Amino acid sequence: MVESLVVPAGAFSEPERTAVYRAIGARRDVRHGFVDRPLPDELLKRLLSAAHSAPSVGFMQPSRFIVIRSLATRKAVHDIFQQANAQAAASYAGERGEQYAALKLEGILEAPQNLCIVCDTQNERGHRLGRHTMPETAAYSTVCAVQNLWLAARAEGVGVGWVSILDPVRLRTVLHIPEHILPVAYLCLGYVERFASEPELQRSGWEKRVPLHAAVCYEAYSEKNGS
Amino acid sequence: MVESLVVPAGAFSEPERTAVYRAIGARRDVRHGFVDRPLPDELLKRLLSAAHSAPSVGFMQPSRFIVIRSLATRKAVHDIFQQANAQAAASYAGERGEQYAALKLEGILEAPQNLCIVCDTQNERGHRLGRHTMPETAAYSTVCAVQNLWLAARAEGVGVGWVSILDPVRLRTVLHIPEHILPVAYLCLGYVERFASEPELQRSGWEKRVPLHAAVCYEAYSEKNGS
């Protein structure tokens, strides 16, 4: 009751808040149904700008965005996926193995745009502020950029799928990524026929959702809540 | 022109899209100006639910949320910050050192709620899908949860500050975080007097913004664009 009487400084209007929560709730990892129509440059720029607006440790802004449209390059990355996926598939037995084989896990060739987001972890920008104790926050800054882009894309009606079934060493070779630059995320981007109402891995029975209460604990870590 | 004629499947309305971009653009890392008024439970639950809706590799949902309201616990964490910050400060000389000393870098005691978001990296949920080649995507999933929460908080008028100037070993002890659980982010949360129009580290002259064009390259990584 108190909540409705006090409007906090800087709070968005009710419809604006609803839109933000809608993007968060309706965002999906998209692996199929990409439409063979390239994204307009202006739209892609809006998405990259959203990613680039992400928080970064010490304001170092370590994220770099490699936009990939070349079919030859996408085919080379798809080969990397196929090899890694075959190795992963071989690690599952029985019913789980059949279930894995039936999953569609990427849209590298179907999505007209791919995007590799990398992190310049050694960059001296930001003068190492915040990185003395937790240097991994450089890579984490780049993940924040990924999530910004993902939510903006959902609002634009653009599907995004994150492909992690890739050998990073081979990916570096194809995309000319030097040793000191960390590949963080390989994304497939494009218009889609539709967005699914629930996550693909939930719908297919691969994994169930964790209820929120099981993920929250108070004052200290608790294994019973965190299981 | 083409863009305005075609409404992509699933695209949000113009006001909804604007709201999502507003959250992305107006989000700030907040270190001061927290108001001494606790967040209502229902609001906190909305924020945690937004975080919990983040994408996760193999739908493993590895994020666990430790809500901290106890002043004693916040004081213990603040001690950890002070020691780490003194060590960091000692690494800067001259003008840069004076600049560092003048920065306010956390709101641990001022913000009535702190939140430590951790990752159960070894959890077998998701059956390791997507983690054979890039196991770091478990921790990255938790960072996506952080960014979801950050944007939802902005829409609610709630400030969030990420404190990475902490010794993770000491943080584990205070919050009873076991070895197999990775502390990813320590956040200060609360209503604020106002949101700044630009990042604190930009305003104070600590670091300049990277223009977007310098962060984008095409088809392969390019050092000249990525510098």
Side-chain angles (χ1 to χ4, degrees), chain B residues 169-180:
Chain B
V169 176
R170 290 188 64 195
L171 188 65
R172 282 177 183 282
T173 304
V174 168
L175 299 180
H176 303 178
I177 300 170
E179 269 303 307
H180 67 285

PDB file of all heavy atoms in Angstrom, chain B residues 169-180:
ATOM      1  N   VAL B 169      37.908 -13.930  -1.222  1.00  0.00           N
ATOM      2  CA  VAL B 169      38.129 -14.932  -0.166  1.00  0.00           C
ATOM      3  C   VAL B 169      37.488 -14.472   1.140  1.00  0.00           C
ATOM      4  O   VAL B 169      36.782 -15.231   1.815  1.00  0.00           O
ATOM      5  CB  VAL B 169      39.644 -15.197   0.026  1.00  0.00           C
ATOM      6  CG1 VAL B 169      39.881 -16.162   1.191  1.00  0.00           C
ATOM      7  CG2 VAL B 169      40.246 -15.748  -1.263  1.00  0.00           C
ATOM      8  N   ARG B 170      37.700 -13.192   1.481  1.00  0.00           N
ATOM      9  CA  ARG B 170      37.102 -12.672   2.707  1.00  0.00           C
ATOM     10  C   ARG B 170      35.576 -12.571   2.567  1.00  0.00           C
ATOM     11  O   ARG B 170      34.835 -12.796   3.531  1.00  0.00           O
ATOM     12  CB  ARG B 170      37.696 -11.293   3.047  1.00  0.00           C
ATOM     13  CG  ARG B 170      39.163 -11.368   3.494  1.00  0.00           C
ATOM     14  CD  ARG B 170      39.658 -10.005   4.007  1.00  0.00           C
ATOM     15  NE  ARG B 170      38.956  -9.571   5.207  1.00  0.00           N
ATOM     16  CZ  ARG B 170      38.993  -8.307   5.688  1.00  0.00           C
ATOM     17  NH1 ARG B 170      39.683  -7.381   5.049  1.00  0.00           N
ATOM     18  NH2 ARG B 170      38.348  -8.004   6.785  1.00  0.00           N
ATOM     19  N   LEU B 171      35.112 -12.229   1.372  1.00  0.00           N
ATOM     20  CA  LEU B 171      33.664 -12.145   1.142  1.00  0.00           C
ATOM     21  C   LEU B 171      32.998 -13.512   1.357  1.00  0.00           C
ATOM     22  O   LEU B 171      31.941 -13.620   1.973  1.00  0.00           O
ATOM     23  CB  LEU B 171      33.396 -11.645  -0.287  1.00  0.00           C
ATOM     24  CG  LEU B 171      31.939 -11.325  -0.632  1.00  0.00           C
ATOM     25  CD1 LEU B 171      31.418 -10.154   0.182  1.00  0.00           C
ATOM     26  CD2 LEU B 171      31.785 -11.038  -2.130  1.00  0.00           C
ATOM     27  N   ARG B 172      33.652 -14.559   0.866  1.00  0.00           N
ATOM     28  CA  ARG B 172      33.145 -15.923   1.065  1.00  0.00           C
ATOM     29  C   ARG B 172      32.954 -16.232   2.540  1.00  0.00           C
ATOM     30  O   ARG B 172      31.963 -16.840   2.951  1.00  0.00           O
ATOM     31  CB  ARG B 172      34.150 -16.945   0.523  1.00  0.00           C
ATOM     32  CG  ARG B 172      34.138 -17.118  -0.970  1.00  0.00           C
ATOM     33  CD  ARG B 172      35.244 -18.128  -1.359  1.00  0.00           C
ATOM     34  NE  ARG B 172      35.331 -18.284  -2.796  1.00  0.00           N
ATOM     35  CZ  ARG B 172      34.492 -19.006  -3.523  1.00  0.00           C
ATOM     36  NH1 ARG B 172      33.503 -19.664  -2.930  1.00  0.00           N
ATOM     37  NH2 ARG B 172      34.623 -19.084  -4.824  1.00  0.00           N
ATOM     38  N   THR B 173      33.945 -15.823   3.351  1.00  0.00           N
ATOM     39  CA  THR B 173      33.888 -16.119   4.777  1.00  0.00           C
ATOM     40  C   THR B 173      32.691 -15.425   5.424  1.00  0.00           C
ATOM     41  O   THR B 173      31.906 -16.051   6.135  1.00  0.00           O
ATOM     42  CB  THR B 173      35.198 -15.661   5.466  1.00  0.00           C
ATOM     43  OG1 THR B 173      36.286 -16.290   4.794  1.00  0.00           O
ATOM     44  CG2 THR B 173      35.218 -16.046   6.935  1.00  0.00           C
ATOM     45  N   VAL B 174      32.530 -14.144   5.136  1.00  0.00           N
ATOM     46  CA  VAL B 174      31.446 -13.375   5.755  1.00  0.00           C
ATOM     47  C   VAL B 174      30.075 -13.914   5.356  1.00  0.00           C
ATOM     48  O   VAL B 174      29.151 -13.991   6.180  1.00  0.00           O
ATOM     49  CB  VAL B 174      31.568 -11.873   5.391  1.00  0.00           C
ATOM     50  CG1 VAL B 174      30.304 -11.098   5.756  1.00  0.00           C
ATOM     51  CG2 VAL B 174      32.789 -11.262   6.075  1.00  0.00           C
ATOM     52  N   LEU B 175      29.933 -14.293   4.092  1.00  0.00           N
ATOM     53  CA  LEU B 175      28.614 -14.723   3.597  1.00  0.00           C
ATOM     54  C   LEU B 175      28.442 -16.246   3.564  1.00  0.00           C
ATOM     55  O   LEU B 175      27.448 -16.751   3.023  1.00  0.00           O
ATOM     56  CB  LEU B 175      28.365 -14.132   2.198  1.00  0.00           C
ATOM     57  CG  LEU B 175      28.349 -12.607   2.119  1.00  0.00           C
ATOM     58  CD1 LEU B 175      28.103 -12.148   0.683  1.00  0.00           C
ATOM     59  CD2 LEU B 175      27.281 -12.012   3.049  1.00  0.00           C
ATOM     60  N   HIS B 176      29.398 -16.971   4.136  1.00  0.00           N
ATOM     61  CA  HIS B 176      29.324 -18.447   4.213  1.00  0.00           C
ATOM     62  C   HIS B 176      29.190 -19.079   2.824  1.00  0.00           C
ATOM     63  O   HIS B 176      28.415 -20.022   2.641  1.00  0.00           O
ATOM     64  CB  HIS B 176      28.149 -18.899   5.086  1.00  0.00           C
ATOM     65  CG  HIS B 176      28.174 -18.347   6.478  1.00  0.00           C
ATOM     66  ND1 HIS B 176      27.203 -18.602   7.407  1.00  0.00           N
ATOM     67  CD2 HIS B 176      29.066 -17.538   7.108  1.00  0.00           C
ATOM     68  CE1 HIS B 176      27.472 -17.970   8.544  1.00  0.00           C
ATOM     69  NE2 HIS B 176      28.606 -17.314   8.375  1.00  0.00           N
ATOM     70  N   ILE B 177      29.911 -18.534   1.866  1.00  0.00           N
ATOM     71  CA  ILE B 177      29.835 -19.064   0.501  1.00  0.00           C
ATOM     72  C   ILE B 177      30.865 -20.183   0.354  1.00  0.00           C
ATOM     73  O   ILE B 177      32.059 -19.949   0.504  1.00  0.00           O
ATOM     74  CB  ILE B 177      30.120 -17.946  -0.536  1.00  0.00           C
ATOM     75  CG1 ILE B 177      29.087 -16.827  -0.384  1.00  0.00           C
ATOM     76  CG2 ILE B 177      30.115 -18.509  -1.957  1.00  0.00           C
ATOM     77  CD1 ILE B 177      29.414 -15.572  -1.191  1.00  0.00           C
ATOM     78  N   PRO B 178      30.406 -21.407   0.066  1.00  0.00           N
ATOM     79  CA  PRO B 178      31.345 -22.530  -0.015  1.00  0.00           C
ATOM     80  C   PRO B 178      32.220 -22.456  -1.268  1.00  0.00           C
ATOM     81  O   PRO B 178      31.951 -21.703  -2.201  1.00  0.00           O
ATOM     82  CB  PRO B 178      30.439 -23.766  -0.047  1.00  0.00           C
ATOM     83  CG  PRO B 178      29.103 -23.277  -0.486  1.00  0.00           C
ATOM     84  CD  PRO B 178      29.006 -21.821  -0.144  1.00  0.00           C
ATOM     85  N   GLU B 179      33.250 -23.280  -1.253  1.00  0.00           N
ATOM     86  CA  GLU B 179      34.262 -23.305  -2.317  1.00  0.00           C
ATOM     87  C   GLU B 179      33.680 -23.472  -3.727  1.00  0.00           C
ATOM     88  O   GLU B 179      34.171 -22.896  -4.680  1.00  0.00           O
ATOM     89  CB  GLU B 179      35.254 -24.463  -2.064  1.00  0.00           C
ATOM     90  CG  GLU B 179      36.456 -24.072  -1.240  1.00  0.00           C
ATOM     91  CD  GLU B 179      37.248 -22.916  -1.862  1.00  0.00           C
ATOM     92  OE1 GLU B 179      37.626 -23.021  -3.045  1.00  0.00           O
ATOM     93  OE2 GLU B 179      37.470 -21.906  -1.176  1.00  0.00           O
ATOM     94  N   HIS B 180      32.656 -24.316  -3.842  1.00  0.00           N
ATOM     95  CA  HIS B 180      32.162 -24.646  -5.182  1.00  0.00           C
ATOM     96  C   HIS B 180      31.191 -23.605  -5.741  1.00  0.00           C
ATOM     97  O   HIS B 180      30.694 -23.745  -6.854  1.00  0.00           O
ATOM     98  CB  HIS B 180      31.501 -26.026  -5.181  1.00  0.00           C
ATOM     99  CG  HIS B 180      30.237 -26.094  -4.373  1.00  0.00           C
ATOM    100  ND1 HIS B 180      30.227 -26.119  -2.995  1.00  0.00           N
ATOM    101  CD2 HIS B 180      28.928 -26.129  -4.752  1.00  0.00           C
ATOM    102  CE1 HIS B 180      28.975 -26.175  -2.560  1.00  0.00           C
ATOM    103  NE2 HIS B 180      28.162 -26.172  -3.595  1.00  0.00           N
TER     104      HIS B 180
END
